Amino acid sequence: MSSDLDLNPFSVQSPERIAAHDVLSLFVEDFADFHQIHRAGHTFLHGARGSGKSMIFRFLEPDCQILKKKCPLNELDFFAFYIPIKEMEVKLTELIRLEMDGHGSLPLNEHLMTVNIVLKMFASLERITQSGEPPEETTAFRNFISDTLVRLLKRGGWAGVVPEIPAEGSFEQYRLVAVSLLEEVYSEISLFIQRLSLGGCLIYTGTLLGFKDFVRPVCAALRSMPFMPATKPFFLLVDDADNFSEEQTRILNTWVSSRGTAEISLKISTQRRYKTFRTISGQSIETPHDFSEVEISDIYTSDRDRYMARVESIVERRLQLASINATPSTFFPEDHKQENEIAKIAESLRATWSESGRGFRANDDAYRYARPNFIRGLHGSSKSGSTYSYAGFKQLVHISSGVVRYFLEPAALMYGEQTAANEGSAPVTAIAPHIQNKVTREQANRFLTSEFERIVREDGNLGGGDRATKLRNLLDSLGALFSHILMSDAAERRVFSVAFSNGPDDEVREIFELGTEYNYLHKSSIGKKEGAGRTALYILSRRLAPAFGLDPTSFAGYKFITNEVARMMMLEPKKFHNRLRTNHIDSVVDPAQGRLFEEN
């Protein structure tokens, strides 16, 4: 079967459109806490866009698991239904207006969510008809449609006409009958919601379905089918749950708080914009009592060795599928001239360590200062800082800042440029360093400019006012701060992070959190300056390293800043930049010295 990978081995495809055999070829499941996802129990999967959440869900679907386990459908460890929230029409303007008015929105919202979820479940069943092993006993499935499904719909108030169900149909024909039934139920509520826009007082008298009285019995009936793994749990893979409104999120949390995870487990992915963890009654769902959590991006950001190995494995598989005989390091070679110069600086630091060394060992100084000294030299009298080359597999992995897509998308562009440079005269067996550097710099600038315009538009539509401007000022100020540190004679120059010695106030926290929402910042935590408790640590995305001339190969240091300085960064960036140029760095941000923190 052909795919985009035949043309470009690094092309990024929507996971739900990838064939099962391609998923198994491309997916690498070696990351911390993966076991939490494929065991019974509700799980929240948090991670930045592009970190691989949808690919994980695609891997859990039955057609992939059949190939993975090499077993029939009824012997799987679980059966997963993919529920993409972005494709649901769950945020209709009129329904949101109902939420604001507090008039009947709760049962209508749950009904709308319930119908959409079960509709997506039956759409997801198409996977098992494409797995090469379609179920043979379709009579039971036909009886489920004509008896159980129709009875449950009627119990919820549905008064529609039951379509003709063929006596000798196929599994796919029966599945489509179920889809048409649910689409009719959905059109009923959709039409009512649209009529609300005409004004007047309307009362909904149609079907009302809920999780307990519809989703659970539908799942129970499906589990009893001869082709299903009857004693194993059903997983509902709710993808991009951030797209729910707050009331819909409370309804989903109420489902999470219910018992019965051995039968139905909700696997919920978010992009850190999940609106609340409270139920419709106001109670908070809590981990580990109600659910477990997996932080994909945080795991990748802190556990760099695991992330490096994961990307290496992904690239190896893609090169193999494209019949390219190369390792990731040889396919994305370093700028050897640059690396040789850095190696000379490292050797010089080792040689002088006994007289002027700053680390515990000679290699410590070589590791910490060789690359920063090289970059600082480029910014010297020749003012050639822009000649630093962001090339080499490991450096590109660091720049991807813990998100797989942020490696693959630039790599696809590099492959395209290298193909054009070869003019079809030779196959691509490696990406030239100058092409790697060019694309990496262009992507960093794009992330800071054109992609940022999306935030301005989205935030403006949400009434965010000048939040985007404050965030842009903050990013520029952080970039300037970290660049000044890199050019300084500080003990630790590879700084990408800040923590607060006091505060932050609500406005400052809001802007920092906005940065994490759009992946410009990563959030972790460290011990407080006073030594008791912990405080938030905000790490600048290393995707921005080329835009600010930073060393992306490490972010081992951090600076404490005051709330007042953060406000200056956001509101008075020129004043902050002037202070950096005319004062010692520590006197500008905070009296405390930057310290190393352990990336655990």
Side-chain angles (χ1 to χ4, degrees):
M1 181 181 295
S2 63
S3 69
D4 291 343
L5 292 176
D6 297 333
L7 302 175
N8 190 320
F10 303 103
S11 62
V12 178
Q13 304 175 55
S14 180
E16 57 266 29
R17 294 182 175 88
I18 302 179
H21 67 274
D22 284 338
V23 172
L24 261 63
S25 298
L26 297 173
F27 182 68
V28 177
E29 60 182 281
D30 179 27
F31 65 88
D33 290 346
F34 184 73
H35 65 282
Q36 295 275 22
I37 301 170
H38 61 72
R39 72 181 187 183
H42 303 315
T43 307
F44 279 86
L45 184 62
H46 306 296
R49 174 184 173 272
S51 56
K53 304 183 300 299
S54 296
M55 191 66 166
I56 290 171
F57 280 179
R58 179 69 186 95
F59 175 74
L60 296 177
E61 289 192 82
D63 56 337
C64 295
Q65 290 298 305
I66 288 171
L67 292 178
K68 171 71 175 177
K69 301 291 185 180
K70 295 182 174 62
C71 70
L73 181 66
N74 60 7
E75 293 182 12
L76 293 178
D77 296 329
F78 54 83
F79 189 96
F81 297 92
Y82 182 59
I83 317 292
I85 299 305
K86 281 186 176 180
E87 296 180 8
M88 292 186 183
E89 296 181 36
V90 293
K91 295 188 70 176
L92 296 175
T93 304
E94 293 79 10
L95 195 56
I96 293 175
R97 180 164 62 84
L98 268 185
E99 291 182 19
M100 295 173 64
D101 295 341
H103 179 71
S105 62
L106 187 61
L108 290 180
N109 256 320
E110 179 163 17
H111 172 63
L112 186 62
M113 291 169 65
T114 295
V115 175
N116 267 294
I117 284 175
V118 177
L119 187 56
K120 295 301 180 185
M121 285 173 59
F122 280 97
S124 184
L125 279 176
E126 186 179 11
R127 296 287 193 198
I128 66 175
T129 67
Q130 297 176 346
S131 65
E133 297 182 49
E136 297 176 357
E137 301 182 41
T138 57
T139 302
F141 190 59
R142 179 192 185 281
N143 292 338
F144 160 74
I145 303 297
S146 60
D147 298 337
T148 306
L149 184 61
V150 171
R151 175 174 52 82
L152 290 172
L153 289 173
K154 288 184 175 180
R155 190 173 70 179
W158 180 65
V161 178
V162 180
E164 183 178 351
I165 303 176
E168 301 294 334
S170 66
F171 179 87
E172 178 62 9
Q173 285 178 301
Y174 297 145
R175 187 191 69 82
L176 292 175
V177 169
V179 168
S180 67
L181 275 171
L182 292 164
E183 285 177 341
E184 183 178 336
V185 176
Y186 175 77
S187 66
E188 180 183 39
I189 181 66
S190 178
L191 182 61
F192 171 78
I193 292 171
Q194 292 174 42
R195 283 175 175 168
L196 289 176
S197 62
L198 301 176
C201 182
L202 297 178
I203 298 176
Y204 182 69
T205 58
T207 313
L208 278 179
L209 304 172
F211 186 76
K212 288 185 178 180
D213 61 18
F214 192 68
V215 178
R216 281 193 178 281
V218 164
C219 288
L222 285 174
R223 289 177 80 228
S224 68
M225 297 291 102
F227 49 83
M228 283 289 187
T231 61
K232 302 299 172 62
F234 274 9
F235 290 175
L236 302 186
L237 311 177
V238 184
D239 201 10
D240 291 316
D242 315 79
N243 289 280
F244 282 130
S245 69
E246 181 165 345
E247 183 167 270
Q248 292 159 353
T249 304
R250 287 176 178 267
I251 292 169
L252 182 62
N253 292 340
T254 303
W255 298 353
V256 170
S257 68
S258 64
R259 299 296 177 261
T261 58
E263 291 78 34
I264 303 175
S265 295
L266 294 163
K267 307 295 181 178
I268 302 167
S269 80
T270 80
Q271 292 185 32
R272 293 195 181 86
R273 294 180 293 178
Y274 199 66
K275 295 177 177 63
T276 179
F277 283 91
R278 294 195 176 275
T279 66
I280 56 177
S281 64
Q283 294 181 327
S284 178
I285 55 173
E286 298 178 354
T287 180
H289 179 71
D290 296 311
F291 63 92
S292 60
E293 287 185 290
V294 176
E295 294 273 0
I296 291 186
S297 295
D298 282 357
I299 291 168
Y300 289 169
T301 300
S302 59
D303 192 353
R304 291 181 295 117
D305 290 339
R306 182 183 290 273
Y307 176 64
M308 181 73 73
R310 178 172 167 77
V311 177
E312 186 172 27
S313 180
I314 290 171
V315 174
E316 285 174 348
R317 292 188 181 201
R318 287 176 174 257
L319 291 174
Q320 289 170 4
L321 286 173
S323 301
I324 297 174
N325 185 22
T327 67
S329 294
T330 59
F331 192 80
F332 296 99
E334 300 172 330
D335 183 317
H336 294 298
K337 180 180 178 181
Q338 172 177 287
E339 296 306 313
N340 288 338
E341 292 297 320
I342 294 172
K344 290 177 183 178
I345 296 173
E347 188 56 40
S348 175
L349 289 167
R350 292 189 189 95
T352 59
W353 174 79
S354 59
E355 292 82 23
S356 58
R358 305 174 75 168
F360 290 108
R361 295 174 295 273
N363 281 337
D364 292 342
D365 279 11
Y367 177 71
R368 285 189 187 179
Y369 305 126
R371 194 171 297 272
N373 284 358
F374 177 79
I375 295 175
R376 183 168 63 180
L378 294 177
H379 285 79
S381 57
S382 62
K383 302 294 184 181
S384 57
S386 62
T387 62
Y388 179 79
S389 176
Y390 291 97
F393 173 72
K394 289 185 177 181
Q395 193 161 215
L396 297 180
V397 174
H398 286 303
I399 290 172
S400 71
S401 211
V403 178
V404 175
R405 179 175 293 184
Y406 297 157
F407 180 94
L408 293 177
E409 287 181 341
L413 293 173
M414 294 173 193
Y415 187 90
E417 292 217 9
Q418 188 67 65
T419 301
N422 290 0
E423 297 180 342
S425 60
V428 176
T429 58
I431 307 295
H434 74 275
I435 291 179
Q436 297 179 53
N437 178 62
K438 174 179 176 290
V439 171
T440 300
R441 286 182 176 275
E442 289 174 348
Q443 289 296 292
N445 292 330
R446 179 173 175 269
F447 187 40
L448 200 57
T449 54
S450 59
E451 284 192 33
F452 200 88
E453 292 173 4
R454 176 172 59 91
I455 301 179
V456 176
R457 292 193 301 270
E458 291 182 2
D459 209 51
N461 292 337
L462 296 174
D466 60 351
R467 295 197 314 165
T469 299
K470 294 174 184 176
L471 176 58
R472 178 58 194 267
N473 290 342
L474 174 64
L475 296 174
D476 287 340
S477 296
L478 288 173
L481 171 63
F482 299 149
S483 179
H484 271 74
I485 295 173
L486 184 67
M487 299 300 120
S488 74
D489 198 35
E492 179 52 71
R493 302 175 202 162
R494 304 163 303 160
V495 176
F496 263 79
S497 316
V498 293
F500 286 93
S501 57
N502 66 336
D505 63 33
D506 290 343
E507 182 182 15
V508 170
R509 181 183 293 107
E510 181 183 25
I511 301 306
F512 272 85
E513 292 299 321
L514 182 66
T516 63
E517 179 179 331
Y518 287 98
N519 304 329
Y520 288 92
L521 299 169
H522 300 284
K523 187 177 180 181
S524 186
S525 66
I526 56 168
K528 287 185 176 179
K529 186 178 178 182
E530 299 80 8
R534 298 186 70 78
T535 187
L537 180 79
Y538 293 96
I539 307 164
L540 184 70
S541 171
R542 284 173 289 169
R543 293 177 70 195
L544 294 173
F548 298 121
L550 302 177
D551 172 13
T553 60
S554 178
F555 54 100
Y558 65 85
K559 279 288 184 184
F560 273 114
I561 63 172
T562 64
N563 185 70
E564 293 71 26
V565 168
R567 293 187 65 83
M568 190 194 310
M569 289 176 167
M570 291 164 33
L571 304 174
E572 302 176 280
K574 289 184 178 179
K575 181 179 178 180
F576 177 75
H577 292 191
N578 288 336
R579 288 195 178 183
L580 275 180
R581 285 193 291 268
T582 57
N583 297 273
H584 189 276
I585 293 170
D586 288 323
S587 68
V588 175
V589 296
D590 192 82
Q593 297 290 321
R595 301 181 296 178
L596 289 179
F597 70 94
E598 183 179 356
E599 301 171 84
N600 50 28

